[in-house]
């Protein structure tokens, strides 16, 4: 499973659910007594769940560094998504966000979630193949599509799972009640945040692509094609920085997420 840093998770999930929580309505959060957030990371979704429910919310993750950040907001427990450290029927809702896309066997994880739930299991998963970019730098959208395509071709898990998460629910024997779409939109515009400035510097140095080089080269992308892409990527990054210096840079990124909710079969 791919590992993520605290800063990466905080940056990519910043503002998630800030504009609307309508897609979470099928979870009936106001009726829940005990909720488990599996793969909670630094606890961004956990905090939303806690704000919407009067019940207890517990976070679970395999990474102790991420748990130490989440621990400031909710109770946390270290654990593996395939072997949760809880007895059967401990919670009435088990939920995950952007977790199944990083797992080799999503259905096995959903089955384990169902084991510890008396009622609902929910997965909030993106379709990373359908991300839309609108940028004041003409080359940025095309280069990001190329880089994303190469990454998806090389990654061993289904990072474009999205609405197809219902297949994992079906395979695990859960009845899918509903799937709702939520578009997580992130914007960059003046005045630029420190995170936006850091991202621009990483573009200009090619550091972002370097992080994913091994994965990208695991697909059909050749070394020469990667070098060409990284060179164009760095040029694009410098254009981003130039536009930022003139306070002309603007960017909008929309990532489609799908909230799939299934009911645990009654024994």
């Amino acid at each position: 499973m791919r590992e993520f840093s605290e800063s990466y998770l905080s940056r990519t999930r910043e503002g998630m659910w800030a504009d609307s929580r309508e897609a979470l309505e099928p979870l009936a959060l106001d009726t829940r007594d005990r909720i488990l957030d599996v793969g909670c990371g630094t606890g961004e979704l956990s905090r939303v769940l806690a704000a919407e429910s009067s019940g207890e919310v517990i976070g679970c993750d395999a990474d102790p560094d991420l748990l130490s950040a989440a621990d400031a907001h909710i109770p946390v427990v270290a654990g593996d998504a395939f072997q949760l450290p809880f007895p059967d029927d401990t919670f009435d809702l088990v939920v995950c966000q952007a977790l199944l896309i990083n797992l080799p066997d999503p259905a096995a994880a959903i089955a384990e979630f169902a084991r510890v739930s008396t009622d609902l299991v929910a997965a909030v998963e993106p379709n990373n193949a359908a991300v839309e970019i609108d940028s004041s730098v003409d080359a940025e959208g095309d280069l990001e599509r190329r880089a994303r395509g190469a990454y998806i071709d090389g990654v061993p898990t289904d990072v474009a799972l999205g609405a197809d998460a219902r297949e994992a629910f079906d395979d695990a024997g859960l009845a899918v009640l509903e799937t709702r779409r939520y578009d997580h939109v992130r914007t960059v515009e003046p005045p630029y945040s420190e995170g936006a400035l850091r991202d621009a510097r990483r573009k200009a140095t090619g550091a972002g692509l370097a992080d994913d080089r091994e994965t990208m080269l695991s697909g059909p992308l050749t070394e020469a094609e990667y070098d060409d892409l990284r060179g164009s990527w760095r040029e694009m990054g410098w254009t981003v920085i130039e536009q930022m210096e003139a306070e002309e840079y603007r960017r909008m990124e929309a990532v489609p997420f799908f909230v799939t909710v299934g009911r645990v079969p009654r024994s």
Side-chain angles (χ1 to χ4, degrees), residues 84-106:
L84 293 172
F86 304 102
D88 296 357
D89 304 331
T90 303
F91 304 92
D92 53 7
L93 170 64
V94 178
V95 61
C96 67
Q97 177 173 290
L99 175 68
L100 300 184
I101 58 170
N102 296 300
L103 298 180
D105 190 347

Side-chain angles (χ1 to χ4, degrees), residues 48-196:
V48 172
L49 299 174
E52 297 293 327
S53 172
S54 60
E56 181 182 19
V57 178
I58 295 176
C60 181
D61 202 286
D63 188 321
D65 292 332
L66 300 182
L67 282 180
S68 65
D71 189 34
H73 307 281
I74 55 164
V76 298
V77 177
D80 187 314
F82 295 108
Q83 293 181 309
L84 293 172
F86 304 102
D88 296 357
D89 304 331
T90 303
F91 304 92
D92 53 7
L93 170 64
V94 178
V95 61
C96 67
Q97 177 173 290
L99 175 68
L100 300 184
I101 58 170
N102 296 300
L103 298 180
D105 190 347
I110 292 297
E112 177 65 356
F113 299 173
R115 179 185 67 78
V116 301
S117 176
T118 61
D119 190 21
L120 297 186
V121 171
V124 184
E125 299 294 327
N127 179 353
N128 285 315
V131 177
E132 295 184 359
I133 303 291
D134 184 11
S135 171
S136 58
V137 175
D138 293 336
E140 187 169 12
D142 179 63
L143 287 171
E144 292 220 9
R145 281 189 292 272
R146 287 171 57 190
R148 188 178 305 108
Y151 179 83
I152 290 173
D153 287 342
V155 76
T157 60
D158 186 2
V159 296
L161 189 68
D164 294 334
R166 65 183 302 124
E167 296 179 8
F169 281 69
D170 290 338
D171 291 345
L174 275 69
V176 175
L177 303 180
E178 188 173 352
T179 296
R180 290 196 184 187
R181 176 169 171 160
Y182 169 76
D183 289 333
H184 178 31
V185 179
R186 297 194 294 263
T187 59
V188 177
E189 58 187 3
Y192 305 113
S193 68
E194 182 54 41

Side-chain angles (χ1 to χ4, degrees), residues 13-22 24 44-45 48 52 97 182-186:
R13 297 181 182 181
E14 182 181 6
M16 186 82 168
W17 308 111
D19 56 340
S20 172
R21 297 178 180 177
E22 183 180 349
L24 297 176
E44 282 80 7
L45 177 61
V48 172
E52 297 293 327
Q97 177 173 290
Y182 169 76
D183 289 333
H184 178 31
V185 179
R186 297 194 294 263

